[in-house]
Amino acid sequence: MNIALLPKIELHLHLDCGLSYEVVSAIDPSINKEAYDNDFIAPAKCYNLADFLTRAVKGFALMQTKEQLTLVVHDLFKQLKASNVIYAEIRFAPLQHLEQGLSPYEVVAITEAATAAAVKATGVEARLILCTLRHFSAAQSMQTVQLVQQFANTYVAGFDIAADEAGFPIDNHIAAFQYAKANNIPCTAHAGEAKGTESVWETLQYFGPTRIGHGVRSIEDPALVKHLHDNQIHLEICPSCNVQTNMYDTYAQHPIDQLYKAGVSLNINTDAPTIVNTTLNKEYQQLQQVFGWGIKEFYQCNLYAVKAAFIPSALQQKLL
Ligand code: ADE
Ligand code: ZN
């Protein structure tokens, strides 16, 4: 089986964590390869998620103007094409791109227009997910979800919460997720990554997402695994990222295979290809080597992903 040739779907991919050396050096020629390797790529084992996330700052610092955002979007699509990704949901936090005077609306408009152009140029289908962040205020979360609403019927398709799950509670963000629910805005949420099963339960209860980013620690509670299965809550799983953030010592200890065998809807993602130093091709290869996954499992994950994607049924049908 030639993994590189398999069509792939990626639902969990942070725009600001996926800058290639090519685009970084084009934006800031003073950054040489050694500096890129040291500052943008995390060590194979980080202390924890918060440690891992210190690298994300490097990415969004270079994404503060129309030209920079546009270059980064096109760079990412080039990488997606190289892993034969046919559909991707790309996420970013618009409020992290205001340092050089862009308004939140302009950030989303620029990124959306670049996405539309990149879809046309590469043939890779895509949508955007706007993220609030755990350390944001209630007002910032509300502003972010309202941006999703303002960009309805464009490439902007959903709402997420990212950043340090262990460091900040959910309280500030409940109203934004309620707003999303009231306005039929598709939602996902990072949970069960830096915290355990109680975090997944509270995320489901208070945010009501149809998908969970990571969610892998759900495996620790059989009742939660059953709940995910029975309610078709989809897990966006990013195996190498979880090993790097020190959730698991090795890839072999990752519960993706157990969750798959329990019938939970899930798919394979990179999360942060630059920080993790991975590609979707590499993730597939690891799953093949470590768990013996093959066409059957990869195809099933793609089916689950298409069903869980934040797209109209006509596009779902086209991807199947
Ligand atoms: N932002 C980028 N990668 C992330 C992760 N794995 N968890 C939370 N926020 C993130
Ligand atoms: Zn993530």
Side-chain angles (χ1 to χ4, degrees):
M1 175 180 43
N2 188 340
I3 281 179
L5 295 180
L6 286 182
K8 303 178 187 72
I9 295 185
E10 176 148 33
L11 299 181
H12 191 127
L13 174 58
H14 295 263
L15 180 62
D16 50 317
C17 304
L19 284 71
S20 69
Y21 175 59
E22 206 181 326
V23 81
V24 165
S25 54
I27 291 172
D28 183 348
S30 76
I31 302 176
N32 62 26
K33 184 71 167 68
E34 197 187 342
Y36 173 81
D37 289 348
N38 285 331
D39 297 342
F40 289 73
I41 301 173
K45 196 57 94 179
C46 294
Y47 180 65
N48 59 18
L49 175 63
D51 177 26
F52 170 91
L53 288 175
T54 58
R55 277 81 188 177
V57 179
K58 301 287 176 187
F60 66 75
L62 297 182
M63 299 161 62
Q64 300 296 333
T65 67
K66 179 177 179 180
E67 292 69 29
Q68 293 169 351
L69 282 162
T70 304
L71 280 172
V72 168
V73 169
H74 284 279
D75 174 62
L76 190 64
F77 272 77
K78 209 167 141 188
Q79 297 174 57
L80 291 170
K81 190 97 185 148
S83 274
N84 204 15
V85 173
I86 58 168
Y87 175 73
E89 287 183 6
I90 302 164
R91 62 189 74 194
F92 68 105
L95 304 190
Q96 282 186 313
H97 303 272
L98 313 179
E99 287 165 18
Q100 287 187 39
L102 292 176
S103 70
Y105 186 91
E106 285 171 329
V107 170
V108 181
I110 290 163
T111 310
E112 200 273 336
T115 301
V119 168
K120 276 215 182 77
T122 61
V124 177
E125 262 301 346
R127 289 294 183 273
L128 296 169
I129 293 175
L130 306 188
C131 301
T132 186
L133 300 175
R134 280 265 178 174
H135 51 278
F136 276 3
S137 67
Q140 287 175 304
S141 266
M142 192 57 84
Q143 190 179 8
T144 306
V145 74
Q146 287 177 346
L147 279 167
V148 181
Q149 188 179 32
Q150 277 177 283
F151 282 85
N153 304 314
T154 70
Y155 280 92
V156 177
F159 181 55
D160 173 42
I161 180 162
D164 187 14
E165 182 187 9
F168 300 87
I170 62 169
D171 310 38
N172 279 357
H173 315 291
I174 295 172
F177 277 90
Q178 281 174 350
Y179 186 90
K181 185 122 279 189
N183 291 281
N184 295 316
I185 293 170
C187 290
T188 178
H190 282 70
E193 179 189 24
K195 278 172 92 180
T197 52
E198 71 294 346
S199 174
V200 179
W201 279 120
E202 77 175 359
T203 295
L204 292 170
Q205 183 180 352
Y206 292 102
F207 293 169
T210 56
R211 303 186 341 211
I212 298 275
H214 305 281
V216 281
R217 290 198 54 192
S218 304
I219 197 69
E220 295 164 25
D221 179 354
L224 180 51
V225 174
K226 183 173 179 334
H227 180 87
L228 296 174
H229 172 268
D230 293 352
N231 292 280
Q232 295 179 20
I233 305 289
H234 179 85
L235 300 186
E236 306 153 2
I237 298 203
C238 317
S240 290
C241 173
N242 296 154
V243 176
Q244 196 171 20
T245 58
N246 215 4
M247 291 178 66
Y248 303 102
D249 281 346
T250 63
Y251 210 98
Q253 287 169 9
H254 194 282
I256 186 168
D257 192 52
Q258 286 167 267
L259 288 161
Y260 178 84
K261 286 180 175 145
V264 175
S265 175
L266 56 86
N267 79 307
I268 310 152
N269 307 274
T270 59
D271 185 283
T274 301
I275 306 184
V276 179
N277 199 13
T278 193
T279 64
L280 210 48
N281 275 340
K282 282 198 210 168
E283 295 300 320
Y284 274 53
Q285 273 155 11
Q286 287 276 75
L287 289 164
Q288 187 186 34
Q289 279 163 22
V290 177
F291 297 114
W293 279 25
I295 292 282
K296 179 170 154 261
E297 289 82 5
F298 295 137
Y299 183 67
Q300 182 61 57
C301 284
N302 275 357
L303 280 185
Y304 283 142
V306 169
K307 276 198 185 157
F310 296 158
I311 45 175
S313 52
L315 181 50
Q316 285 179 337
Q317 290 305 319
K318 204 176 130 193
L319 291 169
L320 284 172

